[in-house]
Amino acid sequence: MNKTNYTVNHYTPKQGRFPVFIADNLDICDPVLAFDEIMEEIEIWRYLKPDGYKEPGRPRYNKVNMLKTILFSFRDTGYASLRELEDRCKVNLRYMYLMDYETPSYKTFGNFINEELNDSIEEIFKAVNEYIFEKEGVDLQHIYIDGSKFEANANKYTFVWKKGTEKARYRLYEKITKLFNEINAELSFDGLKIETNTEYTPEQLELTTASYANVTKLDPAKFVHGRGSRKTPAQRHYEKLVYYTSKLKEYVQKIKTCGPDRNSYSKTDTDATFMRMKKDYMGNDQLLPAYNVQVAVADEYIAVIKALQYRSDMDCFIPLMEDFRRLYGFYPKYPVADAGYGSFNNYIYCQENGMEKYMKFTMYKKVTTDAKYRDNPFRAVNFKTDETGNLICPNNRKFKLSYRRPIKGNKYGRQEEIYECEDCSGCPYASQCKKTDKNRTIQLNRELTKMHEEVLNNLESIHGALLRMNRSIQAEGTFGIIKYDRWYKRTVRRGLDSVQLELFLISIGHNLYKFYNKHYRLKEAA
């Protein structure tokens, strides 16, 4: 009995077939269709530069389609490699749908990002967030803050240390002074003398070099070089002056690049600062060029993201909150952060801008878990006070105000008080006080002590416990998703502005990815 073959195809892959529309091959809940709907609702074309003069020749790619494709690629994979993006436009139905079958090269995508998105990426980030926050009812009064170090795209062994450069510069000053003394001995017969100083500038050395060449009638074009040639003392001095001038210019430029707030940078990415990383392939005590990336998360969405050059999180809090206010027009009521952010400056900043203090201070864990340390009667904060305001130690001795001094690093002109015991002789608690032969002195910042009490009351309340739990889930969880689920651990672009552009794209992709997943789970549950 012959069997009929029902699997014969009467066409080949090289022939056309229906459907001819890509959308017909996509599921109705496909993420690219949901993404395209969001882009249309926020009118994404409003954030592109208007077309100017149209050059003759081949027409440009559709800019709206290119912007949608770039944003979707960051939503799809976390970080979009431009070469992979070029390939997806050729073989992936979702990208073919967004680009209308057009296949730009990776260079075209790169030029588009640099030319079109540099000035408008923050507005696009804000527009996407406003759409999501309105749909989800996101609470922007509760913000969960955290930071993480992202390795910069810099080469190995390209470090420049500010302190090392300053030491080398002062050694160079000594060499210049020694050279000037030698030149003065040479010119003493003519009654000429070069003034020596403890420090020099490149401009001063250039003038000295030109004057020296004029006095000695030197012509650099006639200098002798190579084996068998004997240089004159004047030529040697001139060449040393030129060399020292170039080295001094180099040191001045390095210190200027570091600036007042940094101690290091990388030669291949001068905006990157060397920071301690958990993994170090260079063996330099876990120091790698990196950026301190700060995020403020609201209901699992990134509300603000900022790349900073500070190594400490304490210095990052105020710039992050200023960016939040600039984007949304107000400060959050409850900024929740870990112990890396609880400083005197940050507490005063919250107080002046109507924010509650929900950032742990440095000794928060020890104060809340170690009763022996918290209730230690020899701590200055536990001293009693008499009716005149003097501090009384456990030995009933008075600590009188000695003087006040500015708090180191404080930007608000606050001062701390220094108290000295009236008489520590014969004290039975000398070992507990750890006093020396002199009377014991203590430093006390009453304003900061009061702030610490307020922070303890806030964080130990039921509301504070919930906020602390949510911060560890949402803020740290966001970095977990970005780094380990979506595999973005190292910046690709170089320079602070370019890295910030990259982070905005990462954040837009993360928020769209989170938004779609929430809605998709709701539809599955229904």
Side-chain angles (χ1 to χ4, degrees):
M1 180 178 179
N2 294 330
K3 294 183 179 181
T4 304
N5 187 359
Y6 293 102
T7 61
V8 176
N9 294 325
H10 300 285
Y11 60 89
T12 66
K14 296 181 180 179
Q15 291 176 321
R17 59 176 294 187
F18 288 98
V20 294
F21 297 105
I22 296 179
D24 294 340
N25 292 318
L26 299 174
D27 187 76
I28 191 173
C29 295
D30 195 274
V32 71
L33 299 179
F35 167 83
D36 194 36
E37 181 181 351
I38 294 174
M39 294 298 105
E40 292 295 325
E41 288 196 33
I42 66 175
E43 299 179 349
I44 195 66
W45 56 84
R46 294 191 295 114
Y47 304 100
L48 293 171
K49 295 179 181 178
D51 290 329
Y53 170 73
K54 294 184 179 180
E55 298 179 358
R58 182 178 176 180
R60 286 185 167 188
Y61 293 106
N62 187 305
K63 294 198 296 184
V64 177
N65 290 347
M66 290 193 68
L67 178 56
K68 288 181 180 180
T69 305
I70 291 169
L71 294 181
F72 181 77
S73 63
F74 279 89
R75 173 247 172 264
D76 192 27
T77 59
Y79 177 80
S81 165
L82 298 184
R83 291 182 184 270
E84 291 181 2
L85 183 55
E86 175 187 353
D87 185 61
R88 289 177 195 143
C89 291
K90 299 175 182 177
V91 299
N92 192 309
L93 286 178
R94 293 170 177 169
Y95 292 86
M96 294 166 67
Y97 168 78
L98 290 174
M99 280 303 306
D100 291 337
Y101 290 102
E102 293 183 321
T103 57
S105 67
Y106 72 94
K107 287 186 178 180
T108 305
F109 280 117
N111 292 335
F112 178 84
I113 292 174
N114 294 331
E115 295 172 3
E116 293 285 341
L117 301 186
N118 266 334
D119 300 327
S120 61
I121 186 62
E122 188 173 13
E123 296 178 3
I124 296 172
F125 172 71
K126 181 182 178 182
V128 172
N129 279 1
E130 287 178 346
Y131 175 86
I132 294 175
F133 294 169
E134 183 181 356
K135 293 287 185 181
E136 292 285 289
V138 173
D139 178 17
L140 288 175
Q141 295 296 339
H142 292 80
I143 293 296
Y144 307 102
I145 300 167
D146 198 15
S148 183
K149 309 291 195 311
F150 280 73
E151 185 184 345
N153 182 12
N155 297 354
K156 294 183 181 180
Y157 309 110
T158 58
F159 36 75
V160 175
W161 308 107
K162 186 177 181 179
K163 290 184 179 179
T165 304
E166 288 177 343
K167 290 179 181 178
R169 184 175 61 165
Y170 280 104
R171 287 196 299 267
L172 181 61
Y173 289 157
E174 295 175 0
K175 293 179 181 179
I176 294 171
T177 301
K178 182 179 178 181
L179 177 60
F180 281 178
N181 290 332
E182 293 177 2
I183 295 174
N184 287 336
E186 178 188 347
L187 300 177
S188 60
F189 297 103
D190 297 330
L192 301 175
K193 184 180 180 181
I194 302 175
E195 293 293 334
T196 58
N197 298 306
T198 56
E199 296 183 4
Y200 304 92
T201 62
E203 294 78 13
Q204 180 184 355
L205 289 186
E206 288 177 347
L207 290 174
T208 303
T209 304
S211 300
Y212 180 70
N214 187 31
V215 169
T216 55
K217 296 182 171 41
L218 287 174
D219 184 5
K222 297 181 180 179
F223 282 174
V224 296
H225 301 280
R227 182 179 297 179
S229 301
R230 185 175 295 277
K231 297 180 180 179
T232 63
Q235 179 182 342
R236 293 179 185 276
H237 292 157
Y238 181 88
E239 290 178 345
K240 278 187 178 181
L241 278 172
V242 173
Y243 174 72
Y244 290 163
T245 302
S246 65
K247 290 301 291 182
L248 187 56
K249 284 182 179 179
E250 178 186 335
Y251 295 151
V252 169
Q253 182 59 41
K254 286 181 178 179
I255 294 173
K256 182 179 179 182
T257 302
C258 273
D261 300 326
R262 291 198 298 165
N263 292 322
S264 62
Y265 71 90
S266 171
K267 294 177 184 177
T268 49
D269 184 358
T270 56
D271 288 339
T273 307
F274 275 80
M275 305 179 186
R276 290 195 175 275
M277 307 287 286
K278 294 181 179 178
K279 295 182 180 179
D280 178 22
Y281 51 80
M282 293 169 58
N284 287 329
D285 193 24
Q286 299 179 347
L287 285 175
L288 290 175
Y291 291 94
N292 193 347
V293 177
Q294 300 287 318
V295 295
V297 181
D299 291 349
E300 300 184 27
Y301 295 104
I302 298 176
V304 182
I305 189 166
K306 191 172 183 65
L308 294 160
Q309 298 171 310
Y310 302 116
R311 295 172 297 170
S312 171
D313 288 338
M314 283 186 183
D315 300 322
C316 301
F317 178 77
I318 294 177
L320 188 69
M321 289 297 97
E322 286 299 316
D323 270 21
F324 184 97
R325 184 195 61 80
R326 184 167 49 82
L327 278 173
Y328 303 107
F330 61 91
Y331 292 102
K333 183 69 173 177
Y334 303 98
V336 188
D338 61 9
Y341 298 84
S343 70
F344 190 37
N345 287 336
N346 293 342
Y347 289 146
I348 296 176
Y349 176 81
C350 289
Q351 193 168 293
E352 292 182 346
N353 293 287
M355 293 184 281
E356 298 291 335
K357 303 178 187 68
Y358 279 84
M359 301 96 67
K360 298 177 183 177
F361 48 88
T362 306
M363 300 298 291
Y364 172 81
K365 184 175 182 180
K366 194 170 182 66
V367 169
T368 53
T369 59
D370 190 347
K372 184 178 179 181
Y373 170 81
R374 180 181 62 248
D375 301 329
N376 183 4
F378 299 98
R379 288 179 62 209
V381 295
N382 292 331
F383 280 10
K384 298 178 181 179
T385 57
D386 59 11
E387 60 277 0
T388 59
N390 293 321
L391 298 176
I392 306 298
C393 74
N395 195 32
N396 291 324
R397 300 289 175 86
K398 291 183 179 180
F399 276 71
K400 295 183 179 180
L401 178 63
S402 179
Y403 60 94
R404 292 183 176 88
R405 66 183 180 189
I407 300 174
K408 186 177 180 181
N410 181 254
K411 303 175 182 178
Y412 298 91
R414 262 55 172 194
Q415 294 180 332
E416 62 183 356
E417 300 170 340
I418 308 300
Y419 292 85
E420 184 177 357
C421 182
E422 59 181 357
D423 184 17
C424 283
S425 59
C427 180
Y429 305 111
S431 59
Q432 289 91 332
C433 288
K434 299 179 182 180
K435 81 173 187 66
T436 59
D437 296 335
K438 299 180 180 180
N439 292 334
R440 181 187 177 189
T441 59
I442 59 173
Q443 58 187 31
L444 187 63
N445 185 346
R446 295 179 184 272
E447 189 176 5
L448 180 60
T449 303
K450 187 177 180 181
M451 289 180 180
H452 283 176
E453 293 176 359
E454 183 182 351
V455 171
L456 281 171
N457 292 332
N458 289 340
L459 293 176
E460 291 302 308
S461 64
I462 297 177
H463 184 214
L466 291 173
L467 293 183
R468 283 189 283 121
M469 179 184 66
N470 269 306
R471 192 209 66 83
S472 62
I473 294 172
Q474 296 193 28
E476 296 178 9
T478 297
F479 280 121
I481 292 172
I482 291 174
K483 282 190 168 185
Y484 298 101
D485 291 352
R486 297 169 73 78
W487 292 102
Y488 177 74
K489 297 183 178 181
R490 186 178 188 225
T491 64
V492 177
R493 290 167 175 80
R494 292 177 175 177
L496 188 61
D497 293 337
S498 297
V499 170
Q500 185 63 51
L501 166 64
E502 189 174 300
L503 291 174
F504 276 132
L505 291 171
I506 293 289
S507 302
I508 292 171
H510 173 273
N511 288 350
L512 290 171
Y513 172 78
K514 179 72 69 174
F515 179 72
Y516 174 79
N517 283 351
K518 283 186 176 183
H519 279 255
Y520 186 70
R521 286 198 300 268
L522 289 175
K523 288 180 181 179
E524 280 191 338

